[in-house]
Amino acid sequence: MPPIETAWTLLLLWAAAGYLLGSVPFGLVITRAFGLGDLRAIGSGNIGATNVLRTGSKSAAAATLILDSGKGAAAVLLARAMAGEDAAQVAGLAAFLGHCFPVWLRFNGGKGVATFLGTLLALAWPLGVAACATWLATAAIARISSLAALVAAVLSPFWAVLLGRGEVAVLAAALALVVLWRHGDNIARIRAGTEPRIGRKREG
């Protein structure tokens, strides 16, 4: 963790701002704007880009992916520019939690993968690139989107240390734990050998 140099009151304000930014359910907003219906009644009901793709609209899924990752990155970059590195980590964590547990959706949000990656890219771009590369490599080999997300999340704190960004390792580990928790059903299906693979109609 970086040294705590920002006043606690300001850190709390950045936490609130990050949470509100992260809690914007872009998947729902985009599917409605595209006239694709209520995303919560489609596929898995999840608000992330993977489920948006199940609507059949690649452009809507791409927009959701960009915006969901962007809100984590935006929270980090704004807090860093206006306060400092400690506020950047607080805002990034809060944005990620806002996506996973948005107050507007009764705290039932997405699984956090895109926001997780966007947050890491903004905090330390080499770490973010390593996490994205891990996702891509695992997805290419195993053809399971959820497994790729889990491997990328679990390895992220190790990448942080190996890349000399140890100050981000604790936050990366905390984010990884939430990603694991949010993927509980996927983990059960992976262990049972029933998790759908990339390219099939329904993924986990």
Side-chain angles (χ1 to χ4, degrees):
M1 292 289 291
I4 304 298
E5 299 175 341
T6 303
W8 284 102
T9 51
L10 289 178
L11 288 178
L12 289 174
L13 286 174
W14 278 112
Y19 177 85
L20 290 174
L21 179 59
S23 68
V24 179
F26 283 117
L28 283 176
V29 174
I30 289 171
T31 50
R32 287 177 178 172
F34 278 54
L36 300 172
D38 186 349
L39 186 59
R40 291 169 293 182
I42 298 170
S44 66
N46 191 269
I47 65 170
T50 297
N51 200 42
V52 174
L53 187 59
R54 295 188 183 114
T55 66
S57 175
K58 292 182 179 179
S59 57
T64 301
L65 178 65
I66 292 169
L67 290 171
D68 278 351
S69 59
K71 61 189 181 184
V76 169
L77 295 175
L78 287 171
R80 176 182 286 154
M82 300 179 69
E85 200 61 33
D86 52 351
Q89 289 208 19
V90 167
L93 172 61
F96 173 77
L97 294 176
H99 175 78
C100 294
F101 311 104
V103 63
W104 326 112
L105 301 178
R106 298 182 180 180
F107 304 102
N108 185 23
K111 295 183 179 179
V113 179
T115 309
F116 165 78
L117 293 174
T119 299
L120 291 188
L121 282 166
L123 281 171
W125 70 262
L127 170 58
V129 169
C132 290
T134 301
W135 189 99
L136 288 170
T138 306
I141 295 169
R143 306 299 295 173
I144 300 176
S145 177
S146 58
L147 179 60
L150 292 167
V151 173
V154 169
L155 291 183
S156 62
F158 298 99
W159 281 123
V161 174
L162 289 173
L163 293 169
R165 299 306 302 264
E167 76 280 2
V168 188
V170 173
L171 177 60
L175 299 180
L177 287 174
V178 179
V179 170
L180 288 170
W181 179 28
R182 298 294 290 171
H183 282 77
D185 291 341
N186 302 87
I187 293 172
R189 289 194 294 270
I190 291 170
R191 295 180 63 183
T194 58
E195 181 76 335
R197 295 180 181 272
I198 294 172
R200 294 185 181 178
K201 187 175 181 180
R202 188 182 188 281
E203 299 173 18

